[in-house]
Amino acid sequence: MTAPAPKKVVLAYSGGLDTSIILKWLQTEYGCEVVTFTADLGQGEELEPARAKAELLGIKASNIHIEDLREEFVRDFVFPMFRANALYEGLYLLGTSIARPLIAKRLAEIAAETGADAVAHGATGKGNDQVRFELGVAALNPALKVIAPWRLWDLTSRTKLLEFAEANQIPIAKDKRGEAPFSVDANLLHTSSEGKVLENPAEEPPAYVYQRTVDPEEAPDQAEVVEIGFERGDAVSIDGERMSPATILTRLNEIGGRHGVGRLDLVENRFVGMKSRGVYETPGGTILLEAHRGIEQITLDAGAGHLKDSIMPRYAELIYNGFWFSPEREMLQALIDKSQEHVSGTVRVKLYKGSARTVARWSDQSLYSEKHVTFEEDAGAYDQKDAEGFIRLNALRLRLVAVRNARAKG
Amino acid sequence: MTAPAPKKVVLAYSGGLDTSIILKWLQTEYGCEVVTFTADLGQGEELEPARAKAELLGIKASNIHIEDLREEFVRDFVFPMFRANALYEGLYLLGTSIARPLIAKRLAEIAAETGADAVAHGATGKGNDQVRFELGVAALNPALKVIAPWRLWDLTSRTKLLEFAEANQIPIAKDKRGEAPFSVDANLLHTSSEGKVLENPAEEPPAYVYQRTVDPEEAPDQAEVVEIGFERGDAVSIDGERMSPATILTRLNEIGGRHGVGRLDLVENRFVGMKSRGVYETPGGTILLEAHRGIEQITLDAGAGHLKDSIMPRYAELIYNGFWFSPEREMLQALIDKSQEHVSGTVRVKLYKGSARTVARWSDQSLYSEKHVTFEEDAGAYDQKDAEGFIRLNALRLRLVAVRNARAKG
Amino acid sequence: MTAPAPKKVVLAYSGGLDTSIILKWLQTEYGCEVVTFTADLGQGEELEPARAKAELLGIKASNIHIEDLREEFVRDFVFPMFRANALYEGLYLLGTSIARPLIAKRLAEIAAETGADAVAHGATGKGNDQVRFELGVAALNPALKVIAPWRLWDLTSRTKLLEFAEANQIPIAKDKRGEAPFSVDANLLHTSSEGKVLENPAEEPPAYVYQRTVDPEEAPDQAEVVEIGFERGDAVSIDGERMSPATILTRLNEIGGRHGVGRLDLVENRFVGMKSRGVYETPGGTILLEAHRGIEQITLDAGAGHLKDSIMPRYAELIYNGFWFSPEREMLQALIDKSQEHVSGTVRVKLYKGSARTVARWSDQSLYSEKHVTFEEDAGAYDQKDAEGFIRLNALRLRLVAVRNARAKG
Amino acid sequence: MTAPAPKKVVLAYSGGLDTSIILKWLQTEYGCEVVTFTADLGQGEELEPARAKAELLGIKASNIHIEDLREEFVRDFVFPMFRANALYEGLYLLGTSIARPLIAKRLAEIAAETGADAVAHGATGKGNDQVRFELGVAALNPALKVIAPWRLWDLTSRTKLLEFAEANQIPIAKDKRGEAPFSVDANLLHTSSEGKVLENPAEEPPAYVYQRTVDPEEAPDQAEVVEIGFERGDAVSIDGERMSPATILTRLNEIGGRHGVGRLDLVENRFVGMKSRGVYETPGGTILLEAHRGIEQITLDAGAGHLKDSIMPRYAELIYNGFWFSPEREMLQALIDKSQEHVSGTVRVKLYKGSARTVARWSDQSLYSEKHVTFEEDAGAYDQKDAEGFIRLNALRLRLVAVRNARAKG
């Protein structure tokens, strides 16, 4: 479809080489005004260089948007997701997936504020991120065009990209001359690595891939315990000290990172139909999941917990596939949030050489009843004879089936 | 309901003090003939002492059934369950739950063979095991009576039990005089501990509770890798050597145990309505789950995998609740088994100080296509432009919702 | 468990023979004070005779509670349930199930208000209603005892019941001397009939069983249309006239009843483990379900609708089994309610000789886009070429599976 | 992607104007050899005219494939689907969806047999059928190209199509000069109509749209009963006479059609993202669904039935979306088929003025136990006291929640 060229484009701009090339390409291809948007989601890079670079590439100051979104990211995206104990394909904590909707949201909002008619991103045509950006934008500002240069241009090799950069006076850092041996995405929740040296799932990832966690074999010989306080399903304190959401996650990343917690080597199914291999490091998130499960164990009713468990895979898949801003994700969120009203208390997690394990949990909202479960005399809390009727009625249909089947066999 | 007294009872008999008391109680309470059934499920105890004890208590030789069920246990119960990656409440590998149906099956079968009209077990009225035994028996031999002495008798304290034992010449091992500080169940898949010193979930389990795994902090400083071969979803070899199911699990238990793999401290929801705290050690099973997931990652289609994930919680709950021999568990098993046809290949797992992590996997049945996923030129395997249409149609409904919602607010 | 006798009991009292016998039995068995609770849920019977009867049986005026709960019933129970399009086992509109929680709620509340320590009901030990009453009471007032005389007494035959009635001066209506040929439950949502003449599911129910709907073959030869207005998922008007919830359901019952709409002959699975055959008449509810689906068709997003469909069976089962006041029902309700924000508009339903069919629907919140769907020129609303990429990426994994499977066979 | 032109194409050819234009367009556009495939799926049209037309358009006799697939259609596609009681979005019997995979299968097979490198179909870029054809072909013969002329050519108006036809000597039937007022698809399971006069969902479909069922208001004044025999979930006889699958469906269509059974006016969600309005007539299928539910009511266990109900929406969605030949559909089918082993017996359905209702059902595999359910003395089959324990343990967690919540508020 040959749509009319965009007039003003909000670009998700990291300040790196690739998105700088996109910036210039948008200007030259469409002759359009470019607005840059650079966010601090905890990826651990300075943002001001991105401002300088944008200015260098001719973006006027009022068109440069740089924002610290770390608190919003954790409070409104990471924490709601952790209420669900979400794991994609049983193992992946969705660190990249959960960051994309927030970027899409700000792209759509800045477009509305600046009167832009399009947004652009630097995700390739093979991955999930293009989907996540574009579904988010469609849901929030359906009239916006989305430009995905990687699906459009003919800069299909490293050589062509560098030529374009040179021809357009885009500075190229020395270490970007050669190709990176793998591709990285990072935010406050995780660091993911994929591609190139990681493309063969039969080979163990080289040690230099890991960036955020020490090798468990290099971690301290001494275990460490951390106590995480929860209110209504969200972490609110570490070792008794109340902190903001982003502070909590930052602190847990530090603690987990030094104990080698949260490494994952995974082959996963992308929404676009292929399998890919990724290496994830989610130190704080891994502790948080463990602790959240720990506090739910004593504060969440069985019926509530089993219902949550049963819808979790679908919830995780929605987030992975980019449907954060969809009616069905919001419906599931309503269900999940409803369950968390009493998920408050404290969990003690022990960290040691790559593992994080709950070893204790307590809460004034606990449903655990020692009185009922005890092996000792229970003073009438529970009448063991009730079990007979319970079992007999649960067994009734099985008995009827057995009798029928025997009859059917003759 | 006052049913007529049983005439001949098959008792699940461990040879221990409690089931010996039950044996004698059945004889004295009902004047009935008792058939003992003692199975080796890999619990790590000699069985011949149980024979001697039964004889001592007056059971004639032809009424003593002692069986090695380890291969059947792993082949027909553990492995089918692991095809599902089953975890109860996100964490528990169902080590006790999966053993009960096999015991129920043999109780029902031996009753049929020996003309018994009842079976008896030593599970209490507060736990899940009574349910698992009795649902299994109901499904397999619906006419049998089930006798659960713990729900019936007045031997409600340790003192009364010991008095009964003494009054009936039941030998009492010295270490059984005092009460055990916790209760243990073991089989080839796991060891579980609960009760007494473990009843406060706010206190870390004492070190002496663990029986099958070394403390991760005492585990070797050197990581170890193990390669597990799979065929159609089941493990068939270790480090290239083909072995029987029980041999594989035994070997993985040894390896995992010495690396401190598979400890779990859990508060779970019992089917009978209360929460309880258990400590589980599942060294081999933990490795097996990790490896099975690893091989599925490259051999299982996304649609198949996501469907499996979505029904897994229900499948696990059925097993936990004792419904192994139910139409719905068999239906889910048919679904799961159907998915495993191509789940063959090899997974390398690294064990270190309590953790077991997949680091490589390969298969001649792999669905992983480096050609599609590669960051390099893909020679036309994948047309990135396809992604635009894919995303646009996935976004269409979200756009229509956004337009409607804006109109509704407007 | 021999609990201490209750001192003051709130009895769900219909004024009929059976609950009058229970009233007297409670007095004689326990020597306790009895509080009667009689509710108008639209069952179509006068309530004042229940007052007179209770007084006759010695209940003091301040202990007689008679309430018109029709609006609360429809507003807080029936309508929330219809937002889910709930059908148990594919067909049953849950007319009895949804009334029980409200009765349980008022029993628990009146017990709290009057200082009673127990409640009693007239449901038998074979049915679902005992479960629904008792789970509701447990969830709302867990300290209350529940007395279910049918599970306790020895009045196990019609003859014994009548003897007890006579011995206790309980008036017996002439038509109650003989046994009713079937048992009936009615409220504003439905009339159900079961037992006796209906116990053989191979025999068509006799015509005299039906009480609320004409035989479709006797219904008017002229079809009738009715237009139902919805706001946020609830019916708010009929043929343009706004009405209260109970008024709407009453009106729809009249209209549906005269067209023979809403008859159902069903064999269903009771929670207590057996199958039973029931005949249901739900004239207004059947129209309401049809109309609600009709308005959802144009106002509910596909993702939202499919999620609702997928959890509906579980929601319906929870209500059927008596878990209205459970955390998981409330979680599902939150999900469902979240979906209904834009489910507003009007549906035209045609009634004719037993059927109710949507023939038109419109809404200013519609998501239906003639512009997109039209066979005519669509002015660029939809680019058919997008479908190619959409299909190719959806097909990618299937292609990879096909290639793998061919290779595996090869 | 500019793929090389196909050399030999198998075309799904109806013999009508549109696919004749496609045939000629393929020849002129690609200069390729065309193989026609015309199937009798019970659409009610003669096939020989399609042969004559193909010959007229220059297709050699050996390239013309005409097949009667009615038995395969019903046996291998319709019946397996009906075992699931599949309804898309609560109402649609999937009549079009279930026919497409069979056509895709034969296209792929004929391509393999004839050495063709592509297949072509006449579905537009807005609908579901393109997806169903193409996913089926991809799953069965992944190397085949698929040509969808409606997404490719510039014949975007009726006028252009007719001009092309005239320019290429394609005969145009007189009644095809003008445009049809709506579009029709038919096979042995249903007739669907959509488009044009049906595009406004606020207007009742005109009477002339219906082609296969009489208006209920014109149906006989006399009800008719039909008895359908089932074996393992499939219909095998009508009124005691054994028949082949296609014969049964044909017969039920006749019976249902004359009673106005199976009309549906629906707004549904297409897989490609838009809502569309369709009018469906499924007379035999409607009877079959009702009867299948009737026989399951007495022969299917509650656990099995509830599991089936819970996965049905997903199964139906897979079929609707075109994923018949997917691993996950096959997994669900394995689950469903496993449940049907004892679904055998007879159901009596009454047809009257548009409705089909089960009025009786019986089976020698019945699980219905009058002995258990009876209101009369049950001779000890069921001990009502068991219900107390059953309820108390089901209530336990609700009690613990209530106590906790009160404490939390306190």
Side-chain angles (χ1 to χ4, degrees), chain C residues 390-401:
Chain C
F390 179 74
I391 297 170
R392 283 176 58 85
L393 294 204
N394 271 298
L396 177 51
R397 67 179 175 92
L398 302 181
R399 277 205 173 83
L400 292 169
V401 167

Side-chain angles (χ1 to χ4, degrees), chain D residues 55 78 84 92 108 115 144 207 222 287 303 344 358 366 382:
Chain D
E55 285 174 349
V78 174
Y92 171 39
L144 281 178
Q222 193 65 36
I287 301 171
S344 304
T358 296
S366 179
Y382 180 95

Side-chain angles (χ1 to χ4, degrees), chain A residues 7 11 17 54 75 97 109 114 128 138 164 202 214 219 277 289 389:
Chain A
K7 299 210 178 72
L11 169 65
L17 179 60
R75 185 188 64 231
S97 323
E109 289 169 348
T114 62
N128 296 303
F164 181 94
V214 305
R277 198 263 197 102
L289 171 65

Side-chain angles (χ1 to χ4, degrees), chain C residues 199 275 300 328 368 397, chain D residues 199 275 300 328 368 397:
Chain C
E199 281 181 10
K275 289 180 181 290
L300 198 63
E328 64 271 29
Y368 178 87
R397 67 179 175 92
Chain D
E199 281 180 11
K275 288 180 181 290
L300 197 64
E328 63 271 30
Y368 179 86
R397 66 179 177 93

Side-chain angles (χ1 to χ4, degrees), chain A residues 199 275 300 328 368 397, chain B residues 125 199 275 300 328 368 397:
Chain A
E199 282 180 12
K275 288 180 181 291
L300 198 63
E328 64 271 30
Y368 179 86
R397 68 179 175 91
Chain B
E199 280 180 12
K275 289 180 181 291
L300 197 64
E328 63 271 30
Y368 179 86
R397 68 179 176 92

